[in-house]
Amino acid sequence: TQVDTLINTEDRELFADHLKLIGEPIARSVGCKTVKEALNAAAEIGYPVIIRAAFALGGLGSGFADTAQQLEELCNKAFASAPQVLVERSMKGWKEIEYEVVRDSYDNCITVCNMENFDPLGIHTGDSIVVAPSQTLNDREYQMLRNCAIKVVRHFKIVGECNIQYALNPDSMEFCII
């Protein structure tokens, strides 16, 4: 895997730009460095939103906000440990699905397995039971997410293993890469 691939997949804005280029959906997200920026982003995205502290492991400084007041409280906590927050569209209650994908330098690509969080999106992944393979996806959903995962891995020319995480609306075929 090339260095530019690591840069393009770790930088949320670059990652989103690349996904748009290949027509794959990503949750609407805005990086913010102040509470005021976060409030403006949430007003533009629309409540409810999820706040994620950038560069923080284990969900530190993350949470859901239904109002500007809740957002401000979350941002104050997040900014105590991180220089930036991501304000994202909330998909609380959606299924959380992951695909493990391996690609070699000859562009052979396989999905090793897929996994489904037992809890819906909104429960931090580290606090959730994960089931492999997924148990609630129908074949159409399974193939849609699998094809997307392979397309993304090939676009970024990832060599080796990676995982692609999704939020999948349980009432439709709408999904986003998270």
Side-chain angles (χ1 to χ4, degrees):
T1 301
Q2 300 295 315
V3 172
D4 64 325
T5 296
L6 298 174
I7 293 167
N8 289 328
T9 55
E10 289 297 320
D11 181 306
R12 194 71 177 170
E13 285 184 49
L14 291 174
F15 185 63
D17 291 343
H18 277 270
L19 291 179
K20 288 175 191 166
L21 278 176
I22 61 171
E24 294 301 342
I26 187 166
R28 191 150 177 228
S29 176
V30 178
C32 302
K33 295 182 178 175
T34 67
V35 173
K36 183 176 172 129
E37 286 180 8
L39 289 166
N40 290 338
E44 184 180 316
I45 291 169
Y47 289 95
V49 294
I50 183 169
I51 305 307
R52 299 181 196 276
F55 316 111
L57 296 175
L60 183 69
S62 299
F64 291 91
D66 294 314
T67 66
Q69 181 181 347
Q70 290 174 342
L71 175 69
E72 201 166 333
E73 290 170 10
L74 283 169
C75 284
N76 287 330
K77 289 179 189 172
F79 284 127
S81 62
Q84 181 185 40
V85 298
L86 299 174
V87 179
E88 300 178 345
R89 172 186 175 201
S90 171
M91 291 164 281
K92 192 174 191 176
W94 288 25
K95 294 178 183 182
E96 189 170 354
I97 310 291
E98 296 180 43
Y99 275 71
E100 295 290 329
V101 185
V102 176
R103 179 181 171 271
D104 69 16
S105 60
Y106 298 103
D107 201 33
N108 296 303
C109 198
I110 62 167
T111 54
V112 177
C113 73
N114 77 337
M115 296 169 277
E116 180 173 7
N117 284 39
F118 180 76
D119 301 300
L121 201 82
I123 306 298
H124 184 263
T125 303
D127 299 327
S128 181
I129 297 167
V130 178
V131 178
S134 62
Q135 299 297 302
T136 69
L137 296 184
N138 63 40
D139 188 56
R140 194 167 155 223
E141 293 166 329
Y142 176 90
Q143 297 299 335
M144 174 182 69
L145 298 177
R146 178 188 172 277
N147 291 339
C148 173
I150 291 171
K151 184 178 179 182
V152 169
V153 168
R154 284 186 166 146
H155 172 78
F156 284 106
K157 296 179 173 59
I158 293 169
V159 175
E161 185 274 337
C162 75
N163 101 14
I164 310 277
Q165 293 180 303
Y166 300 99
L168 174 66
N169 187 327
D171 301 318
S172 71
M173 296 292 286
E174 183 183 5
F175 73 96
C176 289
I177 295 171
I178 55 171

